[in-house]
Amino acid sequence: MIRVSAGSAACLGLATNKMDAYPTTAYFLSGNRCLMNCAFCPQGVGQNEVLNRLGRVTWPEYPWPEVEKTLVQAEKKGIRRVCLQSVRHEDGIESLLKLIARVKAITTLPLSLSAWIRDEQEAEELIDAGVDRVSVSLDVANPSAYREIKGGSLQQRLNLLFGCARNLPGRISTHIICGLGESEAEVLSLLNRLVEAGVTAALFAFIPLKGTPLEHREPPAVDSYRRIQAGYYLLREKAADFSSFAFDKERLISFGLPSNDLKQLLADGTAFQTTGCAHCNRPFYNERPGGIIYNYHRELNEEEKEASWSELVQSLTEKRF
Ligand code: SF4
């Protein structure tokens, strides 16, 4: 059995439910109970029994042979990548290597893997097994929040992430969740280091999930999230330099660009779309249909572009944006 995100299941034809939007990556979740105990995640050892949830998304289980049959046809259904997310297993990466071999045997689509790896050698083994990109998730950008929410040391995880990025250039990703106690200066400084190291970061907005210790915490303010998205976009497009960003009490107040230039750079709305591996759009992973959209899974329409720009500029206080 393997868990398949509800949207992927509908797209692949495993389920018949209609979705508001379909993914361009097929998302799978391996394992039922994670050895970690992250306070935001329903998969941890100490959490209540809500194992079919990750993000806002449900992950029904399917027998692998059924999944295999639909995966052969995935490209025809608009799928451009396969993403295997894995809880931290007792046997390390052993069971994952078997699963990767089975996926590689039936599809040539690029495969992303997000898993708990112990060292650089494991990342190399996974790449040698045919994985296109390995994600070494950070999740939390502030060191003390990291200790409280995930346990362990952010610095150690960063050492592993940057070590992997040096050894395997262009093949390493990470996940960062905004709204877990980090400041805007902290997360943007980290994103700058990741861009410089060639690591692709996928940004998420924290969402409180029932049954987890953080179920009562608020999601991040949308204007703050827009500043992070815009800053990350400008950094990865090399359109602005981190040293030109200005902060007031760790809150971003300026990108150091003339406002007309900034508007032009952000005009097409790409900055506010889902980030991460190519073709990873994660529809409604962070948001409910009809609610605030933190990460747009598609191109923005004119109204959405204008709204995102307004959310952003209202909160920038200098004349030079
Ligand atoms: S960015 Fe998307 S495709 Fe890449 S590992 Fe994360 S969820 Fe998977």
Side-chain angles (χ1 to χ4, degrees), residues 25 27 81-85 112-114 133-135 173-175 200-202 204 274-282:
T25 289
Y27 301 96
R81 174 172 293 271
V82 175
C83 174
L84 183 56
Q85 312 209 13
S112 292
L113 179 84
S114 179
R133 304 191 66 93
V134 174
S135 170
S173 315
T174 192
H175 292 170
T200 302
F204 295 78
T274 304
T275 47
C277 306
H279 306 295
C280 172
N281 63 342
R282 301 190 299 269

Side-chain angles (χ1 to χ4, degrees), residues 138-143 145-146 154 176-177 180 182-183 186-187 190:
L138 295 173
D139 298 327
V140 185
N142 169 281
Y146 186 97
L154 174 61
I176 294 179
I177 305 171
L180 288 175
E182 75 293 335
S183 69
E186 242 166 359
V187 74
L190 176 58

